Amino acid sequence: MAFPAGFGWGAATAAYQVEGGWDADGKGPSVWDTFTHQGGERVFKNQTGDVACGSYTLWEEDLKCIKQLGLTHYRFSLSWSRLLPDGTTGFINQKGIDYYNKIIDDLLTNGVTPIVTLYHFDLPQALEDQGGWLSEATIESFDKYARFCFSTFGDRVKQWITINEPNIYAMLGYELGIFPPGVPHSGTGGYQAAHNMIKAHARSWHSYDSLFRKEQKGMVSLSIFAGWAEPADPNSVSDQEAAKRAISFCLDFIAKPIFIDGDYPEVVKSQVASMSKKQGYPSSRLPEFTEEEKRMIKGTADFFAVQYYTTRLVKYQENKKRELGILQDAETEILTDPSWISLDWVYVVPWGIRKLLKYVKDTYNNPVIYITENGFPQLDPVSLDDTQRWEYFRQTFQELFKAIQLDKVNLKVYCAWSLLDNFEWDRGYSSRFGLFHVDFEDPARPRVPYTSAKEYAKIIQKNGLEGDA
C-alpha cells in the first residue's frame, strides 16, 4: 500500500497549546491567557497554558521529535500576541520574530516543509476587548497581521493557513461561550463571528494574492473542521435530510462561500430565516453577504484543508419550542452508534474520513486536499505502548489509501494531531493526542515517543503501509 510519490506526512501543533512563555520576552496576553487565569473550572482542574510543553524555550527538543519521525511537513501556529502584543503593528515584538524565524529556518535546514497557521484560537486580548470576532474591526486587524506575517516569513513559508477551524471557534467561543471570551450568544454569536472570520480570511487571501504571490509563490487556505454525518435511521428520509443539513451547517457553511460562490448554503439560509421568523425576529439571524462581498470571498483558497476526527449519527429533531441555537436551526439531534469505541469526544470511525474526502472531492470540484489535523486522544492513565491507538491510526491510513486509489481523491498531505501531548483547550492536560508523551509534572517537560510515534516513523519511511488495503 504505497502512497503516491511525494505524499506529505506531517504532524501539527498550535502556539497556545505547546509554547508556554505566556508573558515571556514582551508577549502580550491572548484571550486564552485571560480565560484560563480567571479560573472557575471552565478548564479541567483550572489548568492553563502558562508553561504547557515549554516549546518557547524547548524548540530544539521539538525538532528532535520531528526528525525522529522523519516528517516531511510540520504544521504550527504563530502566536499573534507574541508577534504583535496588542494585536496591531503599532508595536512589533522582535523576540517573537526571532523565535519563529528559528523554527522556520531549522525546519528548512532539515528538509521539513513548514505549514504555518496565522490564527489558531488565540486572539490578542486587546482585540477581544474591542469586540473580538463579533466586531467588523477585527477583519481589518487580521488582514494587517496577515500582511505582516507574509512579509516577515513568506520568503521561506510557502503553505499558509489563515484561520484554524472558524466554524468550531465561532460555535464554542461566541455561540456557546465554552471557549473565550466565555459569553454565550445563542442563535446569533456563532453566525456573526463566523461571518467576520470568513471575510477576514478572504481579505488576507487577496492581500497575499495581490502583494506577495508573484514573488513568494506560496499557497493560502484555511482549515475547516468537519465530522462526517450519517442518518440515524438510514431508511428515514427525514434523517437522511437531517444528516445532509448537519454537513451543510458545519463544513459547507465555511467551504461553500470560499470554494463555490461566496455565499452560505441555501438550506442554511432557509432554515435560519424561517426559524428567525417563527421566533419573531424582523429578519434572519444569519448575516448576509453583499454582492460585492460575495465576489470578494469566492475562490479565496489555493487548496482544501480539512480536519477530521470523528463521525456522528444525525436524527431529525423538529424545533417545536422555537429554541435559539445553531443545532436548533439545523433541526438535528446528534447521536452515536453504541458499537463505536469512545475516546472522550472522539468516536473511532475511520471509514468516516474516506466518506468525507469523497464528499469534498465531489462537492468542491476535486480540489487538492490537505488533512491538517486528525488523531486520537488517550485519557490518563496512559501507556507509552499505545498499540490500540496505533491500530486506529493504521485503519485511518487504510481508508486514506482507498480514498486516493479507488475514489481518486487528490489528497496530498496528512498531518497527525499532535506532535506532542499538549494543553487540549477546555480538557486541559487530561486528553493526550501526542505522538510523543510529555510529562507535565517534570519542569524539564521530557518528550518520550509512544509506540504510535515509532510506527508512524515506519509508515513515513516506507511512504505507506505493508500489505494491501
Side-chain angles (χ1 to χ4, degrees), residues 14-234:
Y16 185 76
Q17 294 178 273
V18 300
E19 283 180 7
W22 76 276
D23 63 350
D25 296 339
K27 179 185 169 292
S30 80
V31 291
W32 277 95
D33 295 316
T34 305
F35 186 76
T36 56
H37 294 166
Q38 282 166 348
E41 294 293 331
R42 294 189 292 189
V43 172
F44 179 76
K45 291 188 175 174
N46 283 327
Q47 292 169 338
T48 77
D50 289 1
V51 181
C53 306
S55 292
Y56 183 61
T57 51
L58 298 173
W59 158 246
E60 305 283 355
E61 299 306 310
D62 294 352
L63 182 61
K64 284 177 195 168
C65 297
I66 290 165
K67 288 165 75 170
Q68 207 172 324
L69 289 169
L71 298 182
T72 64
H73 291 68
Y74 178 58
R75 175 177 174 234
F76 65 98
S77 83
L78 308 174
S79 163
W80 187 342
S81 65
R82 193 180 293 291
L83 290 163
L84 309 178
D86 69 357
T88 76
T89 49
F91 176 72
I92 294 166
N93 180 19
Q94 186 59 43
K95 288 278 179 66
I97 296 176
D98 296 344
Y99 174 62
Y100 296 119
N101 271 337
K102 177 149 179 56
I103 292 179
I104 293 162
D105 293 344
D106 285 352
L107 289 170
L108 293 172
T109 300
N110 286 283
V112 182
T113 302
I115 301 175
V116 178
T117 305
L118 294 174
Y119 164 72
H120 195 124
F121 295 177
D122 51 351
L123 195 70
Q125 184 59 45
L127 297 181
E128 187 57 59
D129 292 343
Q130 295 163 36
W133 286 112
L134 295 179
S135 164
E136 291 233 332
T138 303
I139 298 168
E140 179 74 22
S141 302
F142 181 78
D143 185 42
K144 286 181 173 162
Y145 165 58
R147 290 183 190 202
F148 162 77
C149 294
F150 297 149
S151 73
T152 307
F153 307 113
D155 56 329
R156 291 150 294 154
V157 174
K158 305 301 171 191
Q159 294 171 350
W160 294 98
I161 299 293
T162 55
I163 297 176
N164 182 73
E165 298 182 344
N167 46 351
I168 286 296
Y169 205 86
M171 179 86 158
L172 296 180
Y174 294 91
E175 173 78 15
L176 302 174
I178 296 168
F179 282 7
V183 181
H185 300 273
S186 296
T188 56
Y191 295 133
Q192 186 60 55
H195 197 71
N196 287 333
M197 285 184 198
I198 290 168
K199 289 198 276 190
H201 160 77
R203 279 275 297 274
S204 62
W205 185 91
H206 282 288
S207 289
Y208 189 83
D209 199 52
S210 59
L211 302 173
F212 302 99
R213 187 186 301 276
K214 191 172 174 212
E215 194 177 322
Q216 295 182 358
K217 301 179 173 59
M219 300 193 300
V220 179
S221 188
L222 78 176
S223 286
I224 306 173
F225 176 93
W228 183 245
E230 288 279 324
D233 175 357

Side-chain angles (χ1 to χ4, degrees), residues 33 55 110 146 187 337 408 412 414 438 444:
D33 295 316
S55 292
N110 286 283
D337 186 312
K408 305 295 183 226
K412 296 290 190 197
Y414 170 88
V438 178

Side-chain angles (χ1 to χ4, degrees), residues 424-440:
E424 201 52 55
W425 308 121
D426 58 325
R427 301 295 203 272
Y429 299 101
S430 67
S431 189
R432 293 174 173 268
F433 277 89
L435 292 164
F436 286 79
H437 177 272
V438 178
D439 183 348
F440 295 106

